[in-house]
Amino acid sequence: MLHQLAAKAQASNAEVVLRWHANETLAMTMRKGVLLANQSARASGVSARVFSKGAFGFAALPDGPVDAIDRALALAAENAELAPRAKASPLAPVAPGCGSFDHRRAGRAKFTAAERIDLFRALDAAIATKYPDLVSRDLNLTAFCSEKALATSGGAKTFSAAPQVIFNISLALEASDGIVDLYDSLGGFGEIEDHLHDTDALLARIDALYADLRQKAEGAFCEAGPHDVVLDSNVAGILAHEAVGHTCEADLVLAGSVAGDRLGEKVASEKITLGDFSGRGPDGRSSFAIHVDDEGASCEDVLLIDKGVLKNFLHNRDTAQRLGAAPAGNARAFAFSDEPIIRMRNTCILPGDDRLDDMIGAVEHGYYFRRATNGQADLTGEFMFGVNCGREIRDGKLGRALRDTTISGVAFDMLQSVTHVGDTLSWSPSGWCGKKQPITVGMGGPAIKCRINVGGRS
Amino acid sequence: MSAPLDLAEQAVALARKAGADEAQATAARSAYFEIDYSSRRASLARSVDSLRIDLTVFRDGKRGAASITGGRDEDLAEAVAGALIAAQAGVPDDANGVAEGVEAVATRHGPERPDRAAMAAAMTDFGAALARDYPKIMTDGVISAFNDTETGFANSRGLRQHSRRGAYAFGLMFSARDGGRSTSFNHTGWQSFAPRADLLAAETLRRLLDEAVRSLHSKPAPEKFLGDVIFTPDSADTVIGPLAGALSGHALFAGTSPFKDRQGELIASPCFSLLNRPRAFAGGADFDAYGVPTRDLDVIKDGVLDDFLVDFFMARKLGRAQTAGAQNFVVPAGDTPLAEIVGGVKRGVLLSRFSGGVPNSALDFAGVAKNSFYIEDGEIRHALSETMVSGNLRALLRQVYAVSRETVDFGHCRYPYIATTGALISPAP
């Protein structure tokens, strides 16, 4: 397929990107021993993007017809003529990306369908036996792999396959004031066998989750308002993604993001260096891998904040041209039917040299937030994300467990308040982002101590 | 090119031949066209022709499923084999199985294809009108789209469904910017069978754009207080989404629904009702994933929980009647004009968008009030920034004291303004 795409792209008179793209998903859900989902899905097809006189035309067709590439090209050209035009400008040039980046493990035994189900049954039975006081227990597995062949008229020619696994365990019990629940996610880059091969380790993780849930059931609601907090390294990734990453996406800069006027300014504590990285991130351990983007650009690292100073935005070829920057491979599409738009890749705060214990010890009256749920960013730099697990900090020591809350702040104000940056980088196993299309991302960071607004009951 | 119903029947026949005791399949062929307009970056016109087949098979009471795009014979054969392998490995359950029924009358809704050139011209006009009337408004992703989907459903008990649905959709994200000031982004959108001649005049758009401009001068709430919240139609899903989840068969089965023993009881204010009307909207559905025809359901009537939202599988699992397959909600209008509701607020927030953590099973919530306004002594005082709203949705439902006369039809749901009290509103420093 790749040779066909490359030949068609080279033969085209227009500026084109041709892509064959298949997303494969395996999903299983078990609730209280009942298998609610047990399915596989494959969504595949070809697409063409044509850039003509300042506008894009895009067309996608499912796998099947032998003339699919030609038809997609013709339809994309027709669509380009229909697209409205304002302030037409060319696209910035890119270094075309080439090479094969297949991260699937070939030749190794994989779990059979029966082995996957047996694992679920064993874990579920163990939870039910050991913790009969639970009202509900859920196990949820999603194995996802995005496989692409891409060629451009500019000479890019590449193949990639990046697998990812997310395994969620969710437990609920009845507290004195109602249901309390908590979930944990594990997994990350790779395949099921990489993450779920050690049943004893999974059971230990479940024991720890149950212990956290028990403490949470007896826990307190946060006191609403601004507080000194320690964000665990598990939380820092979503902070990097929501608070800074989105604010620095050039399409959002053009739409009015406050970051647009701050390039070159000090926007954070000198302890903060934050980037959006190619490959699998600066330590090679992120949950996601990318080498060439969906405009055919070879991926490069982008330092967004360097020692507190805002340095760069994230671009596609269009915004790079308009804002006088060089594209570094941030144009990504989720499915065969999607056009590439500006997305983060592996976004993280780089570690410092502070220890978690010292951070907690430095808080007189505040909170230690251990796990984040969903989050959202804003053009104003204001961000929020949910927190479902944490502890009070009183006089530098951990206190009661916490019920669910939401925390918020203004990115560049909050980053100025950072006094400690931890020495250990960790990546979220379950990075997904929604922005017109869903997409997998890497989100990572160390623990940090800062001041942030906390939602609460009092 | 095979029709979707033929493809669904073919998939079921292949599954039965390969050893499935029962099987069902949905085949959907769609033609999608969108214009993504921007005045600050390159615009896009995108078309997607797609064919998706979803197959579920049952063997010895165990379920497996597989989905593919495209209709190639070899892909379909692979999907059948994959679904059967999954089913063989599965967990038997008495609730597994397919629905009974006969071939239903085919339904057709909306136009079959759009006038693409007219859509493009309307977007150009919209861009010009927006620049003229709202020079401080910045947009990202103004999308005008049309989707035509033909769906066929078949199962091994002879149930057949066939529908075609063509509808327009419009949506945009926007903010206001003036010098160095930016507002939060906001968004809205709707679906309809007929194209809107004047996009700027449709639904709530002008009100939201006016509010965005007024939000250029925002500040936090003056202090922390317990007060009123008026959910606008655009933000009503903040309440309705989690509420529907808590009233679902899945929450009943989990045992986590706070309403699990409350059927027939008052769970909300008598001025609040929640209706499911899947056939009333352009974005609705005539049948569900099991081929069962959708039907109306009064979920909450005058504050009383009439029934839960129970789908085909959970009905069998819980030993209850199936009540819902697709969900398109209506909160009926009240009889109080919005201006009168605002006039009666001592202290509170007009909440246009809520950015918060997903509420937990107990329906506790906390999040940031976006694109929202502070109300004091019956008057909207100023736009809000950096202000959190926290509380419990069950408590807020019981405290609803007014539902507006005005409603907004989004093409997949219809909501009024909903006024309640007892939320904790807290500003950042």
Side-chain angles (χ1 to χ4, degrees):
Chain A
M1 176 59 83
L2 181 56
H3 296 303
Q4 269 182 281
L5 295 173
K8 298 281 186 191
Q10 289 300 313
S12 173
N13 294 322
E15 186 149 17
V16 304
V17 180
L18 297 175
R19 172 164 45 99
W20 171 86
H21 191 157
N23 284 348
E24 286 202 12
T25 308
L26 184 145
M28 290 168 49
T29 300
M30 180 173 278
R31 171 168 288 177
K32 297 201 288 193
V34 174
L35 197 60
L36 296 176
N38 181 24
Q39 61 203 48
S40 59
R42 181 180 172 85
S44 60
V46 295
S47 70
R49 191 187 76 171
V50 171
F51 183 74
S52 173
K53 293 176 282 186
F56 292 113
F58 180 92
L61 299 166
D63 272 342
V66 291
D67 61 346
I69 301 172
D70 290 330
R71 283 178 53 205
L73 259 173
L75 288 167
E78 280 178 29
N79 289 339
E81 294 303 312
L82 280 173
R85 285 161 173 80
K87 296 181 184 172
S89 73
L91 299 178
V94 289
C98 294
S100 180
F101 308 96
D102 191 343
H103 292 278
R104 295 168 298 186
R105 295 196 187 185
R108 197 181 64 165
K110 290 183 178 286
F111 281 9
T112 63
E115 286 170 332
R116 292 194 298 266
I117 297 288
D118 286 346
L119 175 64
F120 264 49
R121 294 175 95 154
L123 294 176
D124 180 76
I127 299 170
T129 302
K130 197 166 182 181
Y131 304 116
D133 56 334
L134 289 173
V135 172
S136 189
R137 54 189 193 275
D138 286 359
L139 303 173
N140 180 278
L141 171 68
T142 303
F144 175 78
C145 184
S146 183
E147 187 184 353
K148 298 175 188 178
L150 180 141
T152 71
S153 52
K157 184 180 176 186
T158 185
F159 174 84
S160 65
Q164 185 188 36
V165 171
I166 303 172
F167 181 56
N168 289 322
I169 309 152
S170 181
L171 308 177
L173 55 73
E174 186 92 38
S176 58
D177 59 343
I179 296 291
V180 176
D181 47 25
L182 185 62
Y183 73 87
D184 191 13
S185 299
L186 58 98
F189 193 80
E191 295 171 87
I192 295 172
E193 299 73 25
D194 297 319
H195 298 282
L196 303 185
H197 62 279
D198 186 345
T199 307
D200 290 341
L202 294 172
L203 290 170
R205 191 93 176 222
I206 289 167
D207 289 341
L209 180 66
Y210 177 82
D212 285 340
L213 176 62
R214 262 284 153 219
Q215 291 186 351
K216 182 177 176 180
E218 306 301 322
F221 286 95
C222 291
E223 183 185 330
H227 291 281
D228 290 332
V229 304
V230 176
L231 305 180
D232 192 86
S233 58
N234 293 319
V235 180
I238 195 168
L239 181 77
H241 178 95
E242 298 292 351
V244 179
H246 277 303
T247 315
C248 292
E249 290 172 328
D251 49 351
L252 298 187
V253 168
L254 287 168
S257 165
V258 288
D261 299 327
R262 306 291 301 273
L263 215 52
E265 292 184 16
K266 185 171 182 300
V267 297
S269 155
E270 286 183 3
K271 285 176 172 274
I272 294 293
T273 294
L274 189 157
D276 182 71
F277 296 91
S278 60
R280 286 189 61 198
D283 63 350
R285 298 168 66 87
S286 171
S287 60
F288 167 70
I290 184 167
H291 308 275
V292 179
D293 81 356
D294 293 328
E295 289 187 315
S298 182
C299 290
E300 306 292 336
D301 296 344
V302 179
L303 218 50
L304 297 172
I305 296 175
D306 184 14
K307 293 177 182 161
V309 177
L310 184 63
K311 290 289 189 183
N312 291 293
F313 298 137
L314 304 175
H315 290 281
N316 61 13
R317 295 182 63 192
D318 176 43
T319 64
Q321 178 69 24
R322 288 167 194 267
L323 296 177
N330 283 90
R332 302 174 55 200
F334 174 64
F336 79 92
S337 52
D338 289 328
E339 80 281 18
I341 58 176
I342 296 174
R343 306 308 293 255
M344 283 172 261
R345 302 162 306 177
N346 300 297
T347 313
C348 73
I349 298 169
L350 294 181
D353 49 17
D354 294 309
R355 293 175 56 247
L356 181 62
D357 288 348
D358 295 336
M359 296 186 208
I360 292 168
V363 175
E364 188 177 325
H365 184 100
Y367 299 106
Y368 169 44
F369 293 126
R370 289 178 53 202
R371 292 197 193 105
T373 58
N374 62 309
Q376 194 174 66
D378 203 336
L379 299 171
T380 57
E382 195 175 23
F383 65 92
M384 78 82 207
F385 48 89
V387 173
N388 68 359
C389 186
R391 300 278 290 273
E392 289 177 338
I393 306 175
R394 297 292 180 263
D395 298 322
K397 292 187 168 50
L398 294 179
R400 292 178 297 176
L402 301 173
R403 293 292 184 86
D404 300 306
T405 189
T406 296
I407 60 179
S408 72
V410 176
F412 296 153
D413 294 343
M414 183 277 299
L415 289 173
Q416 298 275 15
S417 77
V418 172
T419 57
H420 297 66
V421 176
D423 56 7
T424 306
L425 169 62
S426 70
W427 294 93
S428 165
S430 54
W432 280 83
C433 173
K435 177 187 164 189
K436 190 176 183 186
Q437 312 152 15
I439 211 153
T440 54
V441 292
M443 300 190 291
I448 65 169
K449 176 182 165 292
C450 60
R451 191 160 178 83
I452 216 161
N453 201 24
V454 179
R457 281 275 186 94
S458 59
Chain B
M1 188 188 298
S2 300
L5 182 56
D6 295 337
L7 283 167
E9 289 178 340
Q10 183 189 347
V12 169
L14 283 170
R16 293 277 286 142
K17 190 177 175 185
D21 300 327
E22 294 186 306
Q24 65 172 41
T26 302
R29 174 173 280 119
S30 61
Y32 175 85
F33 176 72
E34 89 174 13
I35 292 172
D36 182 345
Y37 170 79
S38 173
S39 60
R40 293 178 178 82
R41 56 176 172 77
S43 296
L44 167 90
R46 178 169 75 111
S47 61
V48 180
D49 293 330
S50 189
L51 172 63
R52 179 185 165 112
I53 300 173
D54 297 301
L55 172 70
T56 306
V57 304
F58 301 92
R59 188 163 183 173
D60 301 326
K62 299 181 287 188
R63 172 170 52 180
S67 300
I68 54 167
T69 51
R72 288 187 301 203
D73 289 344
E74 60 269 33
D75 291 340
L76 188 54
E78 198 172 320
V80 169
L84 273 167
I85 288 169
Q88 282 165 342
V91 178
D93 196 305
D94 290 343
N96 280 332
V98 301
E100 293 192 32
V102 295
E103 181 155 357
V105 176
T107 56
R108 304 178 74 80
H109 305 278
E112 290 191 19
R113 58 185 61 84
D115 181 337
R116 296 183 177 197
M119 285 174 68
M123 285 294 267
T124 302
D125 292 346
F126 173 78
L130 191 68
R132 181 191 66 228
D133 294 357
Y134 294 96
K136 293 176 181 173
I137 290 291
M138 314 271 283
T139 60
D140 184 61
V142 184
I143 293 174
S144 174
F146 180 85
N147 190 46
D148 178 49
T149 300
E150 182 184 1
T151 307
F153 175 92
N155 75 17
S156 51
R157 292 197 177 191
L159 176 56
R160 301 285 184 274
Q161 295 279 6
H162 185 201
S163 77
R164 216 215 87 257
R165 189 174 285 264
Y168 290 87
F170 181 81
L172 79 166
M173 190 179 104
F174 57 91
S175 66
R177 188 167 171 85
D178 190 16
R181 289 178 181 272
S182 281
T183 70
S184 293
F185 74 82
N186 203 353
H187 54 80
T188 191
W190 57 83
Q191 293 170 263
S192 59
F193 287 128
R196 295 283 195 270
D198 183 354
L199 292 166
L200 195 54
E203 273 67 34
T204 56
L205 189 50
R206 275 198 183 273
R207 178 178 68 77
L208 295 174
L209 294 171
D210 288 337
E211 288 179 355
V213 175
R214 288 168 60 198
S215 296
L216 281 164
H217 301 281
S218 64
K219 53 186 178 182
E223 60 184 337
K224 184 158 67 177
F225 65 97
L226 275 173
D228 294 4
V229 175
I230 302 173
F231 291 93
T232 67
D234 282 279
S235 75
D237 256 333
T238 300
V239 178
I240 306 305
L243 177 61
L247 293 172
S248 70
H250 287 263
L252 286 179
F253 175 61
T256 54
S257 171
F259 306 111
K260 57 180 182 286
D261 303 317
R262 304 293 306 277
Q263 189 168 3
E265 295 181 17
L266 200 67
I267 65 162
S269 158
C271 63
F272 178 86
S273 295
L274 178 67
L275 317 176
N276 190 23
R277 296 288 184 266
R279 293 177 172 238
F281 295 100
D286 297 323
F287 55 90
D288 66 16
Y290 286 86
V292 178
T294 55
R295 65 179 180 86
D296 292 351
L297 177 75
D298 293 352
V299 186
I300 298 172
K301 197 73 191 295
D302 302 330
V304 174
L305 175 57
D306 262 15
D307 215 335
F308 292 93
L309 295 153
V310 182
D311 66 14
F312 177 83
F313 177 81
M314 277 301 164
R316 290 164 64 113
K317 190 70 198 165
L318 298 168
R320 305 175 67 106
Q322 180 179 359
T323 58
Q327 297 181 359
N328 296 88
F329 294 115
V330 172
V331 174
D335 49 16
T336 314
L338 173 64
E340 196 174 306
I341 296 174
V342 171
V345 173
K346 180 69 182 164
R347 216 171 184 200
V349 170
L350 179 68
L351 189 80
S352 276
R353 185 165 71 86
F354 177 80
S355 177
V358 176
N360 59 18
S361 295
L363 297 181
D364 297 315
F365 74 97
V368 184
K370 299 280 192 178
N371 314 101
S372 298
F373 291 84
Y374 175 64
I375 308 171
E376 189 175 299
D377 294 331
E379 285 186 21
I380 293 176
R381 301 285 176 166
H382 59 81
L384 283 171
S385 62
E386 298 179 66
T387 298
M388 292 276 251
V389 179
S390 315
N392 179 277
L393 291 178
R394 280 178 298 159
L396 290 191
L397 270 180
R398 289 194 298 269
Q399 297 295 325
V400 170
Y401 62 83
V403 174
S404 73
R405 182 183 294 170
E406 302 90 341
T407 63
V408 177
D409 187 336
F410 293 99
H412 58 90
C413 61
R414 187 168 67 249
Y415 297 138
Y417 294 81
I418 303 166
T420 183
T421 192
L424 181 66
I425 294 149
S426 56

PDB file of all heavy atoms in Angstrom, chain B residues 259-278:
ATOM      1  N   PHE B 259     -30.696   6.471  43.167  1.00  0.00           N
ATOM      2  CA  PHE B 259     -32.156   6.426  43.016  1.00  0.00           C
ATOM      3  C   PHE B 259     -32.691   4.988  42.957  1.00  0.00           C
ATOM      4  O   PHE B 259     -33.842   4.778  42.593  1.00  0.00           O
ATOM      5  CB  PHE B 259     -32.562   7.172  41.735  1.00  0.00           C
ATOM      6  CG  PHE B 259     -32.039   8.579  41.669  1.00  0.00           C
ATOM      7  CD1 PHE B 259     -31.058   8.923  40.749  1.00  0.00           C
ATOM      8  CD2 PHE B 259     -32.524   9.555  42.523  1.00  0.00           C
ATOM      9  CE1 PHE B 259     -30.574  10.223  40.679  1.00  0.00           C
ATOM     10  CE2 PHE B 259     -32.038  10.858  42.457  1.00  0.00           C
ATOM     11  CZ  PHE B 259     -31.059  11.192  41.544  1.00  0.00           C
ATOM     12  N   LYS B 260     -31.869   4.017  43.291  1.00  0.00           N
ATOM     13  CA  LYS B 260     -32.235   2.624  42.989  1.00  0.00           C
ATOM     14  C   LYS B 260     -33.519   2.172  43.687  1.00  0.00           C
ATOM     15  O   LYS B 260     -34.209   1.302  43.174  1.00  0.00           O
ATOM     16  CB  LYS B 260     -31.075   1.680  43.326  1.00  0.00           C
ATOM     17  CG  LYS B 260     -30.565   1.704  44.751  1.00  0.00           C
ATOM     18  CD  LYS B 260     -29.417   0.703  44.888  1.00  0.00           C
ATOM     19  CE  LYS B 260     -28.872   0.626  46.295  1.00  0.00           C
ATOM     20  NZ  LYS B 260     -28.059   1.792  46.670  1.00  0.00           N
ATOM     21  N   ASP B 261     -33.850   2.740  44.833  1.00  0.00           N
ATOM     22  CA  ASP B 261     -35.077   2.341  45.547  1.00  0.00           C
ATOM     23  C   ASP B 261     -36.137   3.438  45.531  1.00  0.00           C
ATOM     24  O   ASP B 261     -37.041   3.441  46.367  1.00  0.00           O
ATOM     25  CB  ASP B 261     -34.720   2.008  47.010  1.00  0.00           C
ATOM     26  CG  ASP B 261     -33.675   0.917  47.097  1.00  0.00           C
ATOM     27  OD1 ASP B 261     -33.788  -0.068  46.339  1.00  0.00           O
ATOM     28  OD2 ASP B 261     -32.733   1.062  47.902  1.00  0.00           O
ATOM     29  N   ARG B 262     -36.034   4.340  44.557  1.00  0.00           N
ATOM     30  CA  ARG B 262     -36.880   5.539  44.633  1.00  0.00           C
ATOM     31  C   ARG B 262     -37.961   5.603  43.559  1.00  0.00           C
ATOM     32  O   ARG B 262     -38.622   6.639  43.434  1.00  0.00           O
ATOM     33  CB  ARG B 262     -35.993   6.791  44.539  1.00  0.00           C
ATOM     34  CG  ARG B 262     -34.883   6.886  45.586  1.00  0.00           C
ATOM     35  CD  ARG B 262     -35.416   7.088  47.004  1.00  0.00           C
ATOM     36  NE  ARG B 262     -36.306   8.229  47.086  1.00  0.00           N
ATOM     37  CZ  ARG B 262     -35.889   9.483  47.221  1.00  0.00           C
ATOM     38  NH1 ARG B 262     -34.601   9.751  47.305  1.00  0.00           N
ATOM     39  NH2 ARG B 262     -36.757  10.487  47.311  1.00  0.00           N
ATOM     40  N   GLN B 263     -38.180   4.531  42.800  1.00  0.00           N
ATOM     41  CA  GLN B 263     -39.197   4.593  41.745  1.00  0.00           C
ATOM     42  C   GLN B 263     -40.561   4.911  42.368  1.00  0.00           C
ATOM     43  O   GLN B 263     -40.969   4.298  43.350  1.00  0.00           O
ATOM     44  CB  GLN B 263     -39.265   3.287  40.966  1.00  0.00           C
ATOM     45  CG  GLN B 263     -40.147   3.398  39.726  1.00  0.00           C
ATOM     46  CD  GLN B 263     -39.992   2.216  38.785  1.00  0.00           C
ATOM     47  OE1 GLN B 263     -39.248   1.269  39.081  1.00  0.00           O
ATOM     48  NE2 GLN B 263     -40.678   2.237  37.665  1.00  0.00           N
ATOM     49  N   GLY B 264     -41.259   5.845  41.758  1.00  0.00           N
ATOM     50  CA  GLY B 264     -42.571   6.256  42.278  1.00  0.00           C
ATOM     51  C   GLY B 264     -42.478   7.337  43.330  1.00  0.00           C
ATOM     52  O   GLY B 264     -43.510   7.833  43.795  1.00  0.00           O
ATOM     53  N   GLU B 265     -41.268   7.725  43.695  1.00  0.00           N
ATOM     54  CA  GLU B 265     -41.104   8.740  44.742  1.00  0.00           C
ATOM     55  C   GLU B 265     -40.672  10.076  44.140  1.00  0.00           C
ATOM     56  O   GLU B 265     -40.156  10.140  43.022  1.00  0.00           O
ATOM     57  CB  GLU B 265     -40.051   8.278  45.763  1.00  0.00           C
ATOM     58  CG  GLU B 265     -40.457   7.043  46.538  1.00  0.00           C
ATOM     59  CD  GLU B 265     -39.385   6.636  47.545  1.00  0.00           C
ATOM     60  OE1 GLU B 265     -38.510   7.467  47.860  1.00  0.00           O
ATOM     61  OE2 GLU B 265     -39.424   5.477  47.988  1.00  0.00           O
ATOM     62  N   LEU B 266     -40.844  11.100  44.942  1.00  0.00           N
ATOM     63  CA  LEU B 266     -40.420  12.442  44.537  1.00  0.00           C
ATOM     64  C   LEU B 266     -38.895  12.536  44.665  1.00  0.00           C
ATOM     65  O   LEU B 266     -38.364  12.428  45.762  1.00  0.00           O
ATOM     66  CB  LEU B 266     -41.081  13.468  45.457  1.00  0.00           C
ATOM     67  CG  LEU B 266     -41.186  14.908  44.965  1.00  0.00           C
ATOM     68  CD1 LEU B 266     -42.138  15.040  43.784  1.00  0.00           C
ATOM     69  CD2 LEU B 266     -41.660  15.818  46.106  1.00  0.00           C
ATOM     70  N   ILE B 267     -38.185  12.684  43.543  1.00  0.00           N
ATOM     71  CA  ILE B 267     -36.727  12.818  43.611  1.00  0.00           C
ATOM     72  C   ILE B 267     -36.272  14.190  43.138  1.00  0.00           C
ATOM     73  O   ILE B 267     -35.091  14.519  43.208  1.00  0.00           O
ATOM     74  CB  ILE B 267     -36.002  11.736  42.778  1.00  0.00           C
ATOM     75  CG1 ILE B 267     -36.306  11.897  41.297  1.00  0.00           C
ATOM     76  CG2 ILE B 267     -36.346  10.342  43.278  1.00  0.00           C
ATOM     77  CD1 ILE B 267     -35.324  11.166  40.402  1.00  0.00           C
ATOM     78  N   ALA B 268     -37.214  14.959  42.600  1.00  0.00           N
ATOM     79  CA  ALA B 268     -36.887  16.306  42.119  1.00  0.00           C
ATOM     80  C   ALA B 268     -38.031  17.230  42.484  1.00  0.00           C
ATOM     81  O   ALA B 268     -39.094  16.778  42.940  1.00  0.00           O
ATOM     82  CB  ALA B 268     -36.664  16.294  40.607  1.00  0.00           C
ATOM     83  N   SER B 269     -37.802  18.506  42.283  1.00  0.00           N
ATOM     84  CA  SER B 269     -38.867  19.476  42.511  1.00  0.00           C
ATOM     85  C   SER B 269     -40.060  19.162  41.599  1.00  0.00           C
ATOM     86  O   SER B 269     -39.876  18.728  40.450  1.00  0.00           O
ATOM     87  CB  SER B 269     -38.329  20.865  42.189  1.00  0.00           C
ATOM     88  OG  SER B 269     -39.378  21.748  41.897  1.00  0.00           O
ATOM     89  N   PRO B 270     -41.288  19.393  42.067  1.00  0.00           N
ATOM     90  CA  PRO B 270     -42.456  19.151  41.210  1.00  0.00           C
ATOM     91  C   PRO B 270     -42.465  19.972  39.925  1.00  0.00           C
ATOM     92  O   PRO B 270     -43.212  19.652  38.998  1.00  0.00           O
ATOM     93  CB  PRO B 270     -43.632  19.538  42.113  1.00  0.00           C
ATOM     94  CG  PRO B 270     -43.123  19.354  43.500  1.00  0.00           C
ATOM     95  CD  PRO B 270     -41.667  19.738  43.446  1.00  0.00           C
ATOM     96  N   CYS B 271     -41.659  21.002  39.834  1.00  0.00           N
ATOM     97  CA  CYS B 271     -41.663  21.783  38.587  1.00  0.00           C
ATOM     98  C   CYS B 271     -40.680  21.243  37.553  1.00  0.00           C
ATOM     99  O   CYS B 271     -40.514  21.810  36.485  1.00  0.00           O
ATOM    100  CB  CYS B 271     -41.396  23.260  38.855  1.00  0.00           C
ATOM    101  SG  CYS B 271     -39.795  23.625  39.556  1.00  0.00           S
ATOM    102  N   PHE B 272     -40.046  20.095  37.884  1.00  0.00           N
ATOM    103  CA  PHE B 272     -39.053  19.527  36.953  1.00  0.00           C
ATOM    104  C   PHE B 272     -39.530  18.178  36.431  1.00  0.00           C
ATOM    105  O   PHE B 272     -39.921  17.296  37.203  1.00  0.00           O
ATOM    106  CB  PHE B 272     -37.716  19.341  37.675  1.00  0.00           C
ATOM    107  CG  PHE B 272     -36.643  18.727  36.819  1.00  0.00           C
ATOM    108  CD1 PHE B 272     -35.853  19.506  35.992  1.00  0.00           C
ATOM    109  CD2 PHE B 272     -36.428  17.347  36.827  1.00  0.00           C
ATOM    110  CE1 PHE B 272     -34.867  18.934  35.202  1.00  0.00           C
ATOM    111  CE2 PHE B 272     -35.446  16.770  36.047  1.00  0.00           C
ATOM    112  CZ  PHE B 272     -34.658  17.567  35.225  1.00  0.00           C
ATOM    113  N   SER B 273     -39.489  18.022  35.114  1.00  0.00           N
ATOM    114  CA  SER B 273     -39.766  16.729  34.479  1.00  0.00           C
ATOM    115  C   SER B 273     -38.666  16.411  33.484  1.00  0.00           C
ATOM    116  O   SER B 273     -38.013  17.317  32.941  1.00  0.00           O
ATOM    117  CB  SER B 273     -41.117  16.749  33.749  1.00  0.00           C
ATOM    118  OG  SER B 273     -42.182  16.922  34.658  1.00  0.00           O
ATOM    119  N   LEU B 274     -38.449  15.135  33.263  1.00  0.00           N
ATOM    120  CA  LEU B 274     -37.455  14.690  32.278  1.00  0.00           C
ATOM    121  C   LEU B 274     -38.106  13.620  31.407  1.00  0.00           C
ATOM    122  O   LEU B 274     -38.558  12.586  31.907  1.00  0.00           O
ATOM    123  CB  LEU B 274     -36.230  14.099  32.985  1.00  0.00           C
ATOM    124  CG  LEU B 274     -35.134  13.547  32.059  1.00  0.00           C
ATOM    125  CD1 LEU B 274     -34.474  14.676  31.276  1.00  0.00           C
ATOM    126  CD2 LEU B 274     -34.077  12.777  32.862  1.00  0.00           C
ATOM    127  N   LEU B 275     -38.163  13.875  30.112  1.00  0.00           N
ATOM    128  CA  LEU B 275     -38.805  12.968  29.171  1.00  0.00           C
ATOM    129  C   LEU B 275     -37.781  12.455  28.177  1.00  0.00           C
ATOM    130  O   LEU B 275     -36.892  13.195  27.764  1.00  0.00           O
ATOM    131  CB  LEU B 275     -39.922  13.698  28.412  1.00  0.00           C
ATOM    132  CG  LEU B 275     -40.832  14.625  29.226  1.00  0.00           C
ATOM    133  CD1 LEU B 275     -41.820  15.351  28.308  1.00  0.00           C
ATOM    134  CD2 LEU B 275     -41.596  13.834  30.299  1.00  0.00           C
ATOM    135  N   ASN B 276     -37.916  11.196  27.757  1.00  0.00           N
ATOM    136  CA  ASN B 276     -37.078  10.672  26.682  1.00  0.00           C
ATOM    137  C   ASN B 276     -37.915  10.604  25.414  1.00  0.00           C
ATOM    138  O   ASN B 276     -38.960   9.959  25.388  1.00  0.00           O
ATOM    139  CB  ASN B 276     -36.559   9.272  27.062  1.00  0.00           C
ATOM    140  CG  ASN B 276     -35.497   8.784  26.083  1.00  0.00           C
ATOM    141  OD1 ASN B 276     -34.848   9.591  25.412  1.00  0.00           O
ATOM    142  ND2 ASN B 276     -35.313   7.477  25.992  1.00  0.00           N
ATOM    143  N   ARG B 277     -37.450  11.282  24.349  1.00  0.00           N
ATOM    144  CA  ARG B 277     -38.232  11.384  23.113  1.00  0.00           C
ATOM    145  C   ARG B 277     -37.322  11.086  21.912  1.00  0.00           C
ATOM    146  O   ARG B 277     -36.974  11.982  21.130  1.00  0.00           O
ATOM    147  CB  ARG B 277     -38.825  12.796  22.986  1.00  0.00           C
ATOM    148  CG  ARG B 277     -39.842  13.153  24.080  1.00  0.00           C
ATOM    149  CD  ARG B 277     -41.148  12.389  23.884  1.00  0.00           C
ATOM    150  NE  ARG B 277     -42.169  12.769  24.853  1.00  0.00           N
ATOM    151  CZ  ARG B 277     -42.383  12.130  26.015  1.00  0.00           C
ATOM    152  NH1 ARG B 277     -41.635  11.090  26.345  1.00  0.00           N
ATOM    153  NH2 ARG B 277     -43.352  12.512  26.815  1.00  0.00           N
ATOM    154  N   PRO B 278     -36.919   9.823  21.728  1.00  0.00           N
ATOM    155  CA  PRO B 278     -35.929   9.496  20.687  1.00  0.00           C
ATOM    156  C   PRO B 278     -36.394   9.752  19.260  1.00  0.00           C
ATOM    157  O   PRO B 278     -35.568   9.871  18.354  1.00  0.00           O
ATOM    158  CB  PRO B 278     -35.669   8.003  20.897  1.00  0.00           C
ATOM    159  CG  PRO B 278     -36.372   7.610  22.131  1.00  0.00           C
ATOM    160  CD  PRO B 278     -37.318   8.685  22.527  1.00  0.00           C
TER     161      PRO B 278
END
